[in-house]
């Protein structure tokens, strides 16, 4: 069984101890200081970095779309207009009900 968690509230006149304030302040400044973060060097060759920058540029300009594959085993790059047509076709697809009535799936 799970034990019941109770909310603990401090009295209105509760004063946080100075030592705790100092400790929390030093931890906060240590976390926020950018010099304490790990600087990781990129391990990609220069030409691959340039290729990635070009792909990002094309994606921002809506020339291409980059999406993960269904099974998570990679990615697919499509022309933006082709992707948009496929999305529209999917959103406006229809199904035939048991009584022969045609209904749209999404719209």
């Amino acid at each position: 069984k799970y034990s019941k968690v109770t909310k603990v509230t401090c009295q209105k006149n509760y004063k946080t101890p100075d030592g705790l304030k100092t400790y929390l302040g030093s931890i906060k400044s240590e976390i926020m200081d950018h010099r304490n973060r790990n600087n990781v060097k990129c391990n990609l060759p220069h030409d691959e970095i340039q290729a990635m920058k070009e792909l990002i540029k094309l994606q921002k300009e809506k020339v291409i779309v980059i999406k993960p594959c269904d099974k998570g085993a990679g990615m697919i790059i499509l022309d933006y207009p082709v992707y948009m047509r496929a999305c529209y076709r999917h959103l406006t697809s229809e199904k035939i009900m048991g009584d022969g009535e045609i209904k749209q799936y999404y719209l």
Side-chain angles (χ1 to χ4, degrees):
K1 287 188 169 186
Y2 296 103
S3 62
K4 184 178 178 182
V5 177
T6 57
K7 181 178 177 182
V8 177
T9 56
C10 295
Q11 300 170 356
K12 289 186 180 184
N13 59 355
Y14 178 79
K15 184 178 181 294
T16 305
D18 290 334
L20 181 58
K21 284 183 184 178
T22 303
Y23 175 76
L24 293 175
S26 65
I27 294 296
K28 181 179 177 183
S29 65
E30 188 174 329
I31 290 171
M32 298 301 287
D33 189 0
H34 66 89
R35 292 174 292 178
N36 290 332
R37 297 193 183 115
N38 293 336
N39 292 329
V40 179
K41 289 185 178 181
C42 183
N43 63 353
L44 293 176
H46 180 71
D47 56 338
E48 288 184 22
I49 293 171
Q50 291 303 111
M52 285 186 62
K53 286 181 181 180
E54 180 68 19
L55 287 172
I56 291 168
K57 178 179 161 267
L58 291 172
Q59 189 174 22
K60 285 181 180 178
E61 294 172 352
K62 295 188 177 184
V63 175
I64 62 170
V65 176
I66 303 171
K67 292 287 180 186
C69 292
D70 285 342
K71 304 298 180 195
M75 65 179 74
I76 186 167
I77 300 174
L78 295 167
D79 289 330
Y80 185 80
V82 172
Y83 176 75
M84 292 306 293
R85 279 195 303 272
C87 289
Y88 182 76
R89 192 170 51 250
H90 181 68
L91 287 173
T92 58
S93 60
E94 300 174 334
K95 68 177 179 176
I96 300 174
M97 305 303 286
D99 60 359
E101 181 184 3
I102 298 175
K103 286 192 171 181
Q104 287 189 328
Y105 273 109
Y106 301 102
L107 298 178

